[in-house]
Amino acid sequence: MQNSTEIPHPQHPDLDLYPVDRLVEVLVEDQLNAAQAVWAARAQLAEAVRQAIPRIAAGGRLIYVGAGTSGRLGLLDAVELYPTFSWPRARAIALVAGGADALTDGVEGAEDDGQQGEVDLLAVRPVANDVVLAIAASGCTPYVLGALRAACASGSLTIGLANNPNAPVLAAAQISIALVTGPEIISGSTRLKAGTAQKIALNSFSSALMVGLKKVYGNLMVDLRPVNAKLVQRAISLTMHATGMSEEMARSTLVSCGYQVKVAIVALKCDIGADEARARLAVAGGNVRQALRG
């Protein structure tokens, strides 16, 4: 049975004859189906978050596995967790078929090597509290399936994301998230709406997970890592917004707190020093609301 992502789009057989305005219109319009596909899978995404939270809270890691566009999207989600939520880099691992070379160039045959997928997954020593996200537009990529087999054998929580219903990746994972996007405007180019759906799903999963781990206060990302001037200013703005304090007070408190926004918020709202604020947060497991209650 042919994958739906590989079937030529029935509505646009003369795409190459479209004027530019119409061409852009249909390409953008088709992307709307990506969000609809993720919306249809929201219950499965929520279940994945529910099952992942206790494992990650107990010290587990996020391990993303994919090939081509899917692998690069997994890597993107993994690396962005550090500056956004101060998530340890060692606890967000991305395995891409073909390794580092595949990030900028295609590596011939890499995605077809199921044994290498298994080897790469085993090399990071998966354990029961780890959460493995197996991502494949087709849902039948051998590299991803090999890694998934090893992950299942290790006892890790396995989450499969694919853009074809009834795909092998979905059948092999404990939690299956079918992002059914159908044929692409440009036949088989799953970097289009299939990739967009994967990006939305991964963003939603990891963001919800971080909220569940108390990395967010209200809707403020109070656990960011200010690794550049823009993020330093954002830390100041977040502290001001959360406490109602002046920019000068927010900045000076952040300096004393090592630019940890959570600590600065507790220190300012409770009128205590950085060390005491840090201790309160430690007792509260990083939960700002609980730390504010003392």
Side-chain angles (χ1 to χ4, degrees), residues 25 27 32-34 69 100 105 130 160 205 208 244 282:
E25 182 180 89
L27 285 166
L32 300 177
N33 293 315
T69 297
D105 296 299
D130 289 337
F205 170 80

Side-chain angles (χ1 to χ4, degrees), residues 16-35:
D16 61 329
L17 300 179
Y18 287 4
V20 171
D21 287 350
R22 176 60 177 156
L23 178 60
V24 170
E25 182 180 89
V26 299
L27 285 166
V28 172
E29 182 181 38
D30 199 45
Q31 291 284 334
L32 300 177
N33 293 315

Side-chain angles (χ1 to χ4, degrees), residues 15-260:
L15 186 74
D16 61 329
L17 300 179
Y18 287 4
V20 171
D21 287 350
R22 176 60 177 156
L23 178 60
V24 170
E25 182 180 89
V26 299
L27 285 166
V28 172
E29 182 181 38
D30 199 45
Q31 291 284 334
L32 300 177
N33 293 315
Q36 292 173 357
V38 182
W39 178 254
R42 65 192 183 279
Q44 291 75 33
L45 270 169
E47 182 60 23
V49 174
R50 271 192 293 270
Q51 292 199 33
I53 286 175
R55 293 173 185 255
I56 299 300
R61 300 168 296 172
L62 293 169
I63 303 173
Y64 301 77
V65 184
T69 297
S70 298
R72 296 182 192 104
L73 288 170
L75 174 66
L76 179 62
D77 202 65
V79 300
E80 288 185 341
L81 294 179
Y82 175 75
T84 309
F85 300 108
S86 294
W87 190 250
R89 291 188 175 98
R91 293 182 65 193
I93 300 167
L95 303 178
V96 182
D101 290 342
L103 300 181
T104 55
D105 296 299
V107 177
E108 186 175 352
E111 70 174 53
D112 300 324
D113 194 339
Q115 184 176 3
Q116 189 60 51
E118 189 170 353
V119 168
D120 287 354
L121 197 286
L122 291 174
V124 300
R125 299 179 182 276
V127 296
N129 280 331
D130 289 337
V131 176
V132 177
L133 295 107
I135 316 158
S138 67
C140 57
T141 306
Y143 178 87
V144 177
L145 287 169
L148 195 50
R149 283 193 298 271
C152 290
S154 74
S156 300
L157 175 65
T158 54
I159 301 169
L161 294 93
N163 296 90
N164 284 291
N166 306 314
V169 161
L170 301 179
Q174 291 167 265
I175 299 175
S176 61
I177 300 174
L179 307 170
V180 186
T181 45
E184 298 286 1
I185 290 288
I186 298 175
S187 178
S189 183
T190 52
R191 61 179 286 273
L192 296 175
K193 69 174 179 284
T196 300
Q198 291 175 6
K199 180 71 165 67
I200 296 171
L202 291 171
N203 273 172
S204 300
F205 170 80
S206 60
S207 296
L209 178 62
M210 293 297 145
V211 173
L213 294 172
K214 309 307 177 186
K215 296 283 187 178
V216 173
Y217 171 52
N219 66 347
L220 307 178
M221 57 176 206
V222 294
D223 232 351
L224 83 164
R225 180 73 60 174
V227 295
N228 56 43
K230 179 189 73 174
L231 292 179
V232 167
Q233 189 56 49
R234 186 174 295 167
I236 294 169
S237 297
L238 288 167
T239 303
M240 292 170 62
H241 185 88
T243 64
M245 296 294 181
S246 67
E247 180 173 351
E248 181 181 0
M249 180 63 75
R251 185 187 297 272
S252 63
T253 304
L254 279 166
V255 169
S256 71
C257 296
Y259 273 90
Q260 293 179 291

Side-chain angles (χ1 to χ4, degrees), residues 253-287:
T253 304
L254 279 166
V255 169
S256 71
C257 296
Y259 273 90
Q260 293 179 291
V261 177
K262 277 186 173 183
V263 179
I265 290 171
V266 175
L268 285 168
K269 289 181 76 73
C270 297
D271 194 23
I272 56 179
D275 289 342
E276 186 177 348
R278 196 173 286 108
R280 284 197 187 191
L281 279 164
V283 171
N287 187 328

